């Protein structure tokens, strides 16, 4: 088997899921496919949504691992789905059947996969995670733990708040300058204000860590401009649900 055939074969057993806000049980302001248990939604509705998601992909809810996301940059290595909820903002696994989930409403959900080493990962990158280079941390763990090479890693950057809607203040601007000057170009002046392009910033960090642009697949839609389709924290002034992106090895 040549390497091209092998790669194509492996790619077919790595699956990515992306939900939006439609088709669930939750009532306003969480209508309707809210997957977050931490946003004061009625818990039975959230659990029904998670069950519906599992059913949609022929999976069991017990296979899913959700994080207790804390806007940090730590990466958990997951060996099995045992009901544990790790406190972290990224997860990596090599175990088939374990569905790694990231939940967002404006922050950037990112899936990373290495078809040749059979390793998958998710990351949650709001401005704090972005500036603390959580994506670089994930790449390092994939390399250190599993020997993944950057040229083999495929990246999907999911829907998030666009630069059009993401005006930021001094705290973000100063943090970029102090902690992550390589993404200063993602700070965009708009009149007297400054906007931050989270997609561009994460893309830049990935490229600086050896990822070729043609390995990065990006959703362009702004969730704040399209809050009828996606949950957006800013569009809803904080009271809203969470949509999810996930990845698993079959
Ligand atoms: Zn927008």
């Amino acid at each position: 088997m040549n390497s091209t055939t092998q790669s194509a074969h492996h790619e077919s057993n790595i699956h990515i899921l992306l939900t939006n806000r439609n088709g669930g049980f939750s009532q306003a302001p969480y209508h309707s496919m809210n997957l977050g248990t931490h946003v004061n939604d009625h818990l039975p509705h959230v659990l029904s949504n998670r069950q519906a998601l599992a059913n949609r992909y022929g999976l069991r809810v017990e296979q899913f691992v959700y994080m207790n996301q804390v806007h940090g940059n730590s990466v958990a290595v997951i060996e099995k789905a045992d009901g544990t909820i790790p406190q972290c903002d990224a997860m990596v696994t090599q175990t088939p059947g374990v569905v790694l989930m990231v939940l967002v409403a404006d922050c950037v959900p990112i899936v990373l996969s290495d078809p040749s080493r059979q390793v998958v990962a998710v990351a949650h990158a709001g401005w704090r995670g972005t500036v603390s280079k959580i994506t670089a941390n994930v790449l390092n763990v994939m390399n250190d733990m599993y020997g993944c090479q950057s040229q083999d890693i495929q990246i999907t950057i999911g829907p998030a708040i666009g630069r059009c809607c993401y005006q930021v203040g001094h705290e973000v601007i100063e943090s970029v300058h102090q902690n992550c000057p390589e993404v200063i170009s993602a700070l965009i002046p708009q009149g007297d204000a400054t906007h931050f392009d989270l997609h561009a910033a994460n893309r830049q960090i990935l490229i600086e860590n050896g990822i070729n642009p043609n390995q990065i697949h990006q959703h362009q839609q702004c969730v704040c401009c399209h809050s009828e389709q996606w949950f957006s924290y800013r569009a809803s002034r904080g009271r809203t649900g969470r949509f999810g992106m996930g990845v698993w090895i079959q």
Side-chain angles (χ1 to χ4, degrees):
M1 188 182 286
N2 67 42
S3 62
T4 307
T5 310
Q6 194 172 14
S7 162
H9 169 73
H10 281 151
E11 250 160 356
S12 65
N13 75 345
I14 292 177
H15 301 281
I16 296 175
L17 69 82
L18 173 66
T19 71
N20 59 30
R21 71 178 299 163
N22 302 312
F25 296 89
S26 298
Q27 305 296 306
Y30 309 104
H31 53 301
S32 59
M33 189 61 183
N34 168 44
L35 297 173
T37 56
H38 62 296
V39 293
N40 283 324
D41 190 3
H42 185 51
L43 185 59
H45 286 161
V46 183
L47 298 180
S48 296
N49 291 338
R50 289 183 173 190
Q51 181 67 59
L53 173 61
N55 294 348
R56 189 184 302 166
Y57 290 94
L59 299 164
R60 290 172 295 107
V61 287
E62 293 79 13
Q63 292 178 256
F64 287 69
V65 183
Y66 293 88
M67 300 179 277
N68 177 19
Q69 300 170 185
V70 291
H71 292 280
N73 67 357
S74 67
V75 184
V77 174
I78 305 297
E79 290 176 353
K80 57 181 193 284
D82 60 3
T84 305
I85 301 170
Q87 181 170 304
C88 58
D89 288 274
M91 300 186 286
V92 179
T93 194
Q94 200 176 30
T95 309
V98 172
V99 184
L100 303 180
M101 287 292 295
V102 52
L103 301 184
V104 291
D106 286 352
C107 294
V108 188
I110 302 173
V111 163
L112 307 90
S113 65
D114 180 340
S116 72
R117 296 273 171 178
Q118 293 281 285
V119 176
V120 296
V122 292
H124 162 245
W127 75 262
R128 290 179 192 278
T130 300
V131 169
S132 60
K133 301 178 196 172
I134 190 165
T135 46
N137 289 359
V138 176
L139 293 173
N140 287 336
V141 171
M142 291 175 78
N143 178 252
D144 293 346
M145 293 281 303
Y146 303 109
C148 298
Q149 303 296 309
S150 53
Q151 68 269 18
D152 295 328
I153 299 174
Q154 296 294 319
I155 316 277
T156 301
I157 303 181
I161 193 166
R163 58 186 270 189
C164 43
C165 294
Y166 196 42
Q167 184 179 334
V168 292
H170 292 296
E171 188 185 8
V172 176
I173 296 165
E174 281 166 22
S175 184
V176 168
H177 282 265
Q178 280 177 18
N179 305 314
C180 199
E182 53 268 59
V183 303
I184 281 175
S185 64
L187 290 170
I188 318 286
Q190 303 242 337
D192 292 337
T194 300
H195 289 219
F196 190 28
D197 188 334
L198 288 172
H199 266 193
N202 281 287
R203 187 182 175 83
Q204 180 65 24
I205 291 166
L206 288 162
I207 289 168
E208 296 214 347
N209 283 273
I211 302 296
N212 192 294
N214 68 18
Q215 296 165 244
I216 304 174
H217 314 277
Q218 210 165 319
H219 287 256
Q220 300 294 348
Q221 204 169 43
C222 168
V223 299
C224 191
C225 288
H226 297 275
S227 60
E228 76 293 341
Q229 188 180 355
W230 310 99
F231 293 113
S232 168
Y233 189 91
R234 198 163 275 212
S236 311
R237 296 192 163 81
R239 290 191 71 218
T240 194
R242 298 289 182 273
F243 67 90
M245 195 152 80
V247 65
W248 73 100
I249 304 162
Q250 200 165 40

